[in-house]
C-alpha cells in the first residue's frame, strides 16, 4: 500500500494552497493517517485470527487422528 502523499497532495502543496484551505488539507492528512493506522490494526488482527484458526484446525486434526 502507498503510505506516501497522493499524487493530488504532491500536486497541490498545502503551502501553495489558499490560506482557508490549509486547515482542511491538514485535517484530511490527519484523517488519512488515522485511517492508515486503523487499516494496519485490522491487518494485524486478521493475521492473529488466521493464526488462531490454523492452530485450532491443527488441534482438531490431532484430536480426530487420536480417536480410537
Amino acid at each position: 500500500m502507498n503510505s506516501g502523499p497522493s499524487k493530488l497532495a504532491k500536486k497541490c502543496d498545502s503551502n501553495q494552497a489558499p490560506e482557508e484551505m490549509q486547515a482542511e488539507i491538514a485535517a484530511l492528512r490527519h484523517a488519512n493517517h488515522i485511517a492508515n493506522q486503523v487499516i494496519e490494526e485490522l491487518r494485524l488482527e486478521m493475521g492473529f485470527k488466521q493464526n488462531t484458526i490454523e492452530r485450532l484446525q491443527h488441534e482438531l486434526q490431532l484430536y480426530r487422528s487420536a480417536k480410537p
Side-chain angles (χ1 to χ4, degrees):
M1 177 173 47
N2 182 6
S3 60
S6 68
K7 290 179 185 176
L8 180 60
K10 288 179 184 175
K11 188 176 181 181
C12 180
D13 183 12
S14 63
N15 295 329
Q16 296 174 351
E19 194 170 318
E20 63 272 7
M21 291 182 68
Q22 289 182 17
E24 184 177 354
I25 291 169
L28 289 170
R29 285 184 175 155
H30 180 67
N32 184 54
H33 176 72
I34 291 173
N36 285 335
Q37 287 179 319
V38 169
I39 289 168
E40 184 60 26
E41 287 177 25
L42 289 171
R43 282 190 177 137
L44 291 172
E45 187 172 329
M46 283 174 42
F48 173 76
K49 288 182 179 181
Q50 183 62 37
N51 289 340
T52 301
I53 289 168
E54 290 169 3
R55 181 178 46 82
L56 291 172
Q57 287 173 334
H58 179 69
E59 289 178 15
L60 181 60
Q61 280 180 330
L62 292 176
Y63 172 75
R64 287 181 175 161
S65 65
K67 284 174 77 175

Coordinates of all heavy atoms in Angstrom, one line a residue:
M1 N 0.8 -1.2 0.0 CA 0.0 0.0 0.0 C 0.9 1.2 0.0 O 1.9 1.3 0.6 CB -0.9 0.0 1.2 CG -1.7 1.3 1.3 SD -3.0 1.4 2.5 CE -2.2 0.9 4.0
N2 N 0.5 2.3 -0.7 CA 1.2 3.5 -0.8 C 0.9 4.4 0.4 O -0.2 4.8 0.6 CB 0.8 4.2 -2.1 CG 1.6 5.5 -2.2 OD1 2.5 5.8 -1.5 ND2 1.3 6.3 -3.3
S3 N 1.9 4.6 1.3 CA 1.6 5.4 2.5 C 2.1 6.8 2.3 O 1.9 7.6 3.2 CB 2.3 4.7 3.7 OG 3.7 4.7 3.5
G4 N 2.7 7.1 1.2 CA 3.2 8.5 0.9 C 2.0 9.3 0.5 O 0.9 8.9 0.3
P5 N 2.3 10.6 0.3 CA 1.3 11.5 -0.2 C 0.7 11.1 -1.6 O 1.4 10.6 -2.4 CB 2.0 12.9 -0.3 CG 3.3 12.7 0.3 CD 3.6 11.2 0.4
S6 N -0.5 11.4 -1.8 CA -1.1 11.0 -3.1 C -0.6 12.0 -4.1 O 0.0 13.0 -3.8 CB -2.7 11.2 -3.0 OG -3.0 12.5 -2.8
K7 N -0.9 11.6 -5.4 CA -0.5 12.5 -6.5 C -1.1 13.9 -6.3 O -0.5 14.9 -6.6 CB -0.9 11.9 -7.8 CG -0.1 10.6 -8.2 CD -0.6 10.1 -9.5 CE 0.1 8.8 -9.8 NZ -0.4 8.1 -11.0
L8 N -2.4 13.9 -5.9 CA -3.0 15.2 -5.7 C -2.4 16.0 -4.6 O -2.2 17.2 -4.8 CB -4.5 15.0 -5.4 CG -5.4 16.2 -5.2 CD1 -5.4 17.1 -6.4 CD2 -6.8 15.8 -4.8
A9 N -2.0 15.3 -3.5 CA -1.4 16.0 -2.4 C 0.0 16.6 -2.9 O 0.4 17.7 -2.5 CB -1.2 15.1 -1.2
K10 N 0.7 15.8 -3.7 CA 2.0 16.3 -4.2 C 1.8 17.5 -5.1 O 2.6 18.4 -5.1 CB 2.7 15.2 -4.9 CG 3.3 14.1 -4.0 CD 3.9 13.0 -4.8 CE 4.4 11.9 -4.0 NZ 4.9 10.8 -4.7
K11 N 0.8 17.4 -5.9 CA 0.5 18.4 -6.9 C 0.1 19.7 -6.3 O 0.4 20.8 -6.7 CB -0.6 17.9 -7.9 CG -0.8 18.8 -9.1 CD -1.8 18.1 -10.0 CE -2.1 18.9 -11.2 NZ -3.1 18.3 -12.1
C12 N -0.7 19.5 -5.2 CA -1.3 20.7 -4.5 C -0.6 20.8 -3.1 O -1.2 20.4 -2.1 CB -2.8 20.6 -4.4 SG -3.5 22.0 -3.6
D13 N 0.6 21.3 -3.1 CA 1.3 21.5 -1.8 C 0.5 22.4 -0.9 O 0.0 23.5 -1.3 CB 2.7 22.1 -2.1 CG 3.5 22.2 -0.8 OD1 3.1 21.7 0.2 OD2 4.5 22.9 -0.9
S14 N 0.3 22.1 0.4 CA -0.5 22.9 1.3 C 0.0 24.3 1.5 O -0.7 25.2 1.8 CB -0.7 22.1 2.6 OG 0.6 22.0 3.2
N15 N 1.3 24.4 1.3 CA 1.9 25.8 1.4 C 1.5 26.7 0.3 O 1.5 27.9 0.4 CB 3.4 25.7 1.5 CG 3.9 25.0 2.8 OD1 3.2 25.1 3.8 ND2 5.0 24.3 2.7
Q16 N 1.1 26.1 -0.8 CA 0.7 26.9 -2.0 C -0.8 27.1 -2.1 O -1.3 27.9 -2.8 CB 1.2 26.3 -3.3 CG 2.7 26.2 -3.4 CD 3.2 25.4 -4.6 OE1 2.4 24.8 -5.3 NE2 4.5 25.4 -4.9
A17 N -1.5 26.3 -1.2 CA -3.0 26.4 -1.2 C -3.4 27.7 -0.6 O -2.7 28.3 0.3 CB -3.6 25.2 -0.5
P18 N -4.6 28.2 -0.9 CA -5.1 29.4 -0.3 C -5.2 29.1 1.3 O -5.4 28.0 1.7 CB -6.5 29.5 -0.9 CG -6.5 28.8 -2.2 CD -5.5 27.7 -2.0
E19 N -5.0 30.1 2.0 CA -5.0 30.0 3.5 C -6.2 29.3 4.0 O -6.1 28.5 4.9 CB -4.8 31.4 4.1 CG -4.4 31.3 5.6 CD -4.1 32.7 6.1 OE1 -3.4 33.5 5.4 OE2 -4.5 33.0 7.2
E20 N -7.4 29.6 3.5 CA -8.6 28.9 4.0 C -8.6 27.4 3.8 O -9.3 26.7 4.5 CB -9.9 29.6 3.5 CG -10.0 29.5 2.0 CD -9.4 30.6 1.2 OE1 -8.6 31.4 1.8 OE2 -9.6 30.7 0.0
M21 N -7.9 27.0 2.8 CA -7.8 25.5 2.5 C -6.8 24.8 3.3 O -6.8 23.6 3.4 CB -7.6 25.3 1.0 CG -8.8 25.7 0.1 SD -8.5 25.4 -1.6 CE -8.5 23.6 -1.6
Q22 N -5.8 25.5 3.8 CA -4.7 24.8 4.5 C -5.1 24.0 5.7 O -4.7 22.9 5.9 CB -3.6 25.9 4.9 CG -2.9 26.4 3.7 CD -1.8 27.4 4.1 OE1 -1.4 27.4 5.3 NE2 -1.3 28.1 3.1
A23 N -6.1 24.5 6.5 CA -6.6 23.8 7.6 C -7.4 22.5 7.2 O -7.2 21.5 7.8 CB -7.5 24.7 8.5
E24 N -8.1 22.7 6.1 CA -8.8 21.5 5.6 C -7.8 20.4 5.1 O -8.0 19.2 5.3 CB -9.8 21.9 4.4 CG -10.6 20.8 3.9 CD -11.6 21.2 2.9 OE1 -11.7 22.4 2.6 OE2 -12.3 20.4 2.3
I25 N -6.8 20.9 4.4 CA -5.8 19.9 3.9 C -5.1 19.2 5.1 O -4.9 18.0 5.1 CB -4.7 20.7 3.0 CG1 -5.4 21.1 1.7 CG2 -3.5 19.8 2.8 CD1 -4.5 22.1 0.9
A26 N -4.8 20.0 6.1 CA -4.2 19.4 7.3 C -5.1 18.4 8.0 O -4.7 17.3 8.4 CB -3.8 20.5 8.3
A27 N -6.4 18.7 8.0 CA -7.4 17.8 8.6 C -7.5 16.5 7.8 O -7.6 15.4 8.4 CB -8.7 18.5 8.8
L28 N -7.5 16.7 6.5 CA -7.6 15.5 5.6 C -6.4 14.6 5.7 O -6.5 13.4 5.8 CB -7.8 15.9 4.2 CG -9.2 16.5 3.8 CD1 -9.2 17.1 2.4 CD2 -10.3 15.5 4.0
R29 N -5.2 15.2 5.9 CA -4.0 14.4 6.0 C -4.0 13.7 7.4 O -3.6 12.5 7.4 CB -2.8 15.3 5.9 CG -2.5 15.7 4.5 CD -1.2 16.5 4.4 NE -0.9 16.8 3.0 CZ -0.2 17.8 2.6 NH1 0.3 18.7 3.4 NH2 0.0 18.0 1.3
H30 N -4.5 14.4 8.4 CA -4.6 13.7 9.7 C -5.6 12.5 9.7 O -5.3 11.5 10.2 CB -5.0 14.7 10.8 CG -5.2 14.2 12.1 ND1 -4.1 13.7 12.8 CD2 -6.2 13.9 12.9 CE1 -4.5 13.3 14.0 NE2 -5.8 13.4 14.1
A31 N -6.7 12.8 9.0 CA -7.7 11.7 8.9 C -7.2 10.5 8.1 O -7.4 9.4 8.4 CB -9.0 12.2 8.2
N32 N -6.4 10.8 7.1 CA -5.8 9.8 6.3 C -4.8 9.0 7.1 O -4.7 7.7 7.0 CB -5.1 10.4 5.1 CG -4.5 9.3 4.2 OD1 -5.2 8.4 3.7 ND2 -3.2 9.4 3.9
H33 N -4.0 9.7 7.9 CA -3.1 9.0 8.8 C -3.8 8.1 9.8 O -3.4 6.9 10.0 CB -2.3 10.1 9.6 CG -1.3 9.5 10.6 ND1 -0.2 8.8 10.3 CD2 -1.4 9.5 12.0 CE1 0.4 8.4 11.4 NE2 -0.3 8.8 12.4
I34 N -4.9 8.5 10.4 CA -5.6 7.7 11.3 C -6.2 6.5 10.6 O -6.2 5.4 11.1 CB -6.7 8.5 12.0 CG1 -6.1 9.5 13.0 CG2 -7.7 7.7 12.8 CD1 -7.0 10.5 13.6
A35 N -6.8 6.7 9.4 CA -7.3 5.6 8.6 C -6.3 4.6 8.3 O -6.5 3.4 8.4 CB -7.9 6.1 7.3
N36 N -5.1 5.0 8.0 CA -4.0 4.1 7.7 C -3.6 3.3 9.0 O -3.3 2.1 8.9 CB -2.7 4.8 7.2 CG -2.9 5.2 5.7 OD1 -3.7 4.6 5.0 ND2 -2.2 6.2 5.3
Q37 N -3.7 3.9 10.2 CA -3.4 3.2 11.4 C -4.5 2.2 11.7 O -4.2 1.0 12.1 CB -3.4 4.2 12.6 CG -2.1 5.0 12.6 CD -2.1 6.0 13.8 OE1 -3.1 6.6 14.1 NE2 -1.0 6.2 14.4
V38 N -5.7 2.5 11.4 CA -6.8 1.5 11.6 C -6.7 0.4 10.7 O -6.8 -0.8 11.1 CB -8.2 2.2 11.4 CG1 -9.3 1.2 11.4 CG2 -8.4 3.3 12.5
I39 N -6.3 0.6 9.4 CA -6.1 -0.5 8.5 C -5.0 -1.4 9.0 O -5.2 -2.6 8.9 CB -5.8 0.1 7.1 CG1 -7.1 0.8 6.5 CG2 -5.2 -0.9 6.1 CD1 -6.8 1.6 5.3
E40 N -3.9 -0.8 9.5 CA -2.8 -1.7 9.9 C -3.2 -2.5 11.1 O -2.9 -3.7 11.2 CB -1.6 -0.8 10.3 CG -0.4 -1.6 10.7 CD 0.1 -2.5 9.6 OE1 -0.1 -2.3 8.4 OE2 0.8 -3.5 10.0
E41 N -4.0 -1.9 12.1 CA -4.5 -2.7 13.2 C -5.4 -3.8 12.8 O -5.3 -4.9 13.3 CB -5.2 -1.7 14.2 CG -4.3 -0.8 14.9 CD -5.1 0.1 15.8 OE1 -6.2 -0.2 16.3 OE2 -4.5 1.2 16.1
L42 N -6.3 -3.5 11.8 CA -7.2 -4.6 11.3 C -6.4 -5.7 10.6 O -6.7 -6.9 10.8 CB -8.2 -4.0 10.3 CG -9.3 -3.1 10.9 CD1 -10.1 -2.4 9.8 CD2 -10.2 -3.9 11.8
R43 N -5.3 -5.4 9.9 CA -4.5 -6.4 9.2 C -3.8 -7.3 10.3 O -3.7 -8.5 10.1 CB -3.4 -5.7 8.4 CG -3.9 -5.2 7.1 CD -2.8 -4.8 6.2 NE -3.3 -4.4 4.9 CZ -2.9 -3.4 4.2 NH1 -1.9 -2.6 4.7 NH2 -3.4 -3.1 3.1
L44 N -3.3 -6.6 11.4 CA -2.7 -7.4 12.4 C -3.7 -8.3 13.1 O -3.4 -9.5 13.4 CB -2.1 -6.5 13.5 CG -0.9 -5.7 13.0 CD1 -0.4 -4.6 14.1 CD2 0.3 -6.6 12.7
E45 N -4.9 -7.8 13.3 CA -5.9 -8.6 14.0 C -6.4 -9.8 13.1 O -6.6 -10.9 13.5 CB -7.2 -7.8 14.3 CG -8.2 -8.5 15.1 CD -9.3 -7.6 15.6 OE1 -9.1 -6.4 15.9 OE2 -10.4 -8.1 15.7
M46 N -6.5 -9.5 11.8 CA -6.8 -10.6 10.8 C -5.7 -11.7 10.8 O -6.1 -12.9 10.8 CB -7.0 -10.0 9.4 CG -8.3 -9.3 9.2 SD -8.4 -8.5 7.6 CE -7.8 -9.7 6.5
G47 N -4.5 -11.3 10.9 CA -3.4 -12.2 10.9 C -3.4 -13.1 12.2 O -3.2 -14.3 12.1
F48 N -3.7 -12.4 13.3 CA -3.8 -13.1 14.6 C -5.0 -14.2 14.5 O -4.8 -15.3 14.9 CB -4.1 -12.2 15.7 CG -4.4 -12.8 17.0 CD1 -3.4 -13.4 17.8 CD2 -5.7 -12.9 17.5 CE1 -3.6 -14.1 19.0 CE2 -6.0 -13.5 18.7 CZ -4.9 -14.1 19.4
K49 N -6.1 -13.7 14.0 CA -7.3 -14.6 13.9 C -7.0 -15.8 12.9 O -7.4 -16.9 13.2 CB -8.5 -13.9 13.4 CG -9.1 -13.0 14.5 CD -10.3 -12.3 14.2 CE -10.8 -11.4 15.3 NZ -12.0 -10.7 15.1
Q50 N -6.3 -15.5 11.8 CA -5.9 -16.6 10.9 C -5.0 -17.6 11.5 O -5.2 -18.8 11.4 CB -5.3 -16.0 9.6 CG -4.9 -17.0 8.6 CD -6.2 -17.7 8.0 OE1 -7.2 -17.1 7.8 NE2 -6.0 -19.0 7.7
N51 N -4.1 -17.1 12.3 CA -3.2 -18.0 13.0 C -3.9 -18.8 14.0 O -3.7 -20.0 14.2 CB -2.1 -17.2 13.8 CG -1.0 -16.6 12.8 OD1 -0.9 -17.1 11.7 ND2 -0.3 -15.6 13.3
T52 N -4.9 -18.2 14.7 CA -5.7 -19.0 15.7 C -6.5 -20.0 15.0 O -6.6 -21.2 15.5 CB -6.7 -18.0 16.4 OG1 -5.9 -17.0 17.1 CG2 -7.5 -18.7 17.4
I53 N -7.1 -19.7 13.8 CA -7.9 -20.7 13.1 C -7.0 -21.9 12.6 O -7.4 -23.0 12.8 CB -8.6 -20.0 11.9 CG1 -9.7 -19.1 12.3 CG2 -9.1 -21.0 10.9 CD1 -10.2 -18.1 11.2
E54 N -5.9 -21.5 12.1 CA -5.0 -22.6 11.7 C -4.5 -23.5 12.8 O -4.5 -24.7 12.7 CB -3.7 -22.0 11.0 CG -4.1 -21.4 9.6 CD -3.0 -20.6 9.0 OE1 -1.9 -20.5 9.6 OE2 -3.2 -20.0 7.9
R55 N -4.3 -22.9 14.0 CA -3.9 -23.7 15.2 C -5.0 -24.6 15.6 O -4.8 -25.8 15.9 CB -3.4 -22.7 16.3 CG -3.0 -23.4 17.6 CD -2.5 -22.5 18.6 NE -3.4 -21.4 18.9 CZ -4.5 -21.5 19.6 NH1 -4.9 -22.6 20.2 NH2 -5.3 -20.4 19.8
L56 N -6.2 -24.0 15.7 CA -7.4 -24.8 16.1 C -7.6 -26.0 15.1 O -8.0 -27.1 15.5 CB -8.6 -23.9 16.2 CG -8.6 -23.0 17.4 CD1 -9.7 -22.0 17.4 CD2 -8.5 -23.7 18.7
Q57 N -7.5 -25.7 13.8 CA -7.7 -26.7 12.8 C -6.6 -27.8 13.0 O -7.0 -29.0 12.9 CB -7.6 -26.2 11.4 CG -8.8 -25.3 11.0 CD -8.6 -24.6 9.6 OE1 -7.4 -24.4 9.2 NE2 -9.7 -24.3 9.0
H58 N -5.4 -27.5 13.3 CA -4.4 -28.5 13.5 C -4.7 -29.3 14.8 O -4.6 -30.5 14.8 CB -3.0 -27.8 13.7 CG -1.9 -28.7 14.0 ND1 -1.4 -29.6 13.0 CD2 -1.1 -28.9 15.1 CE1 -0.4 -30.3 13.6 NE2 -0.2 -29.9 14.8
E59 N -5.1 -28.6 15.8 CA -5.5 -29.3 17.1 C -6.7 -30.3 16.8 O -6.7 -31.4 17.4 CB -5.8 -28.4 18.2 CG -4.6 -27.6 18.7 CD -4.9 -26.6 19.8 OE1 -6.1 -26.7 20.4 OE2 -4.1 -25.8 20.1
L60 N -7.6 -29.9 16.0 CA -8.8 -30.7 15.7 C -8.3 -32.0 14.9 O -8.7 -33.1 15.1 CB -9.8 -29.9 14.9 CG -11.1 -30.7 14.4 CD1 -11.8 -31.2 15.7 CD2 -11.9 -29.8 13.6
Q61 N -7.4 -31.8 14.0 CA -6.8 -32.9 13.2 C -6.1 -33.9 14.2 O -6.3 -35.1 14.0 CB -5.8 -32.4 12.2 CG -6.4 -31.9 10.9 CD -5.3 -31.4 9.9 OE1 -4.2 -31.0 10.3 NE2 -5.6 -31.5 8.7
L62 N -5.4 -33.3 15.1 CA -4.7 -34.2 16.1 C -5.7 -35.0 16.9 O -5.6 -36.2 17.2 CB -3.8 -33.4 17.0 CG -2.5 -32.7 16.3 CD1 -1.8 -31.9 17.4 CD2 -1.6 -33.8 15.8
Y63 N -6.7 -34.3 17.3 CA -7.8 -34.9 18.1 C -8.5 -36.0 17.3 O -8.7 -37.1 17.8 CB -8.8 -33.9 18.6 CG -10.0 -34.4 19.3 CD1 -10.0 -34.9 20.6 CD2 -11.2 -34.5 18.6 CE1 -11.1 -35.4 21.2 CE2 -12.4 -35.1 19.2 CZ -12.3 -35.5 20.5 OH -13.4 -36.0 21.1
R64 N -8.8 -35.7 16.1 CA -9.5 -36.7 15.2 C -8.6 -37.9 15.0 O -9.1 -39.1 14.9 CB -10.0 -36.1 13.9 CG -11.2 -35.2 14.1 CD -11.6 -34.6 12.8 NE -12.8 -33.8 13.0 CZ -13.2 -32.9 12.1 NH1 -12.6 -32.7 11.0 NH2 -14.3 -32.2 12.4
S65 N -7.3 -37.7 14.8 CA -6.4 -38.8 14.5 C -6.2 -39.6 15.7 O -5.8 -40.8 15.6 CB -5.1 -38.3 13.9 OG -4.4 -37.5 14.8
A66 N -6.3 -39.1 16.9 CA -6.1 -39.8 18.1 C -7.3 -40.6 18.6 O -7.2 -41.5 19.5 CB -5.7 -38.8 19.2
K67 N -8.5 -40.3 18.0 CA -9.7 -41.0 18.4 C -9.6 -42.5 18.0 O -9.1 -42.8 16.9 CB -10.9 -40.4 17.8 CG -11.4 -39.1 18.5 CD -12.5 -38.4 17.8 CE -13.8 -39.1 18.1 NZ -14.9 -38.4 17.5
P68 N -10.0 -43.4 18.9 CA -10.0 -44.8 18.5 C -10.9 -45.2 17.4 O -11.9 -44.6 17.1 CB -10.4 -45.6 19.8 CG -10.9 -44.5 20.7 CD -10.5 -43.2 20.2

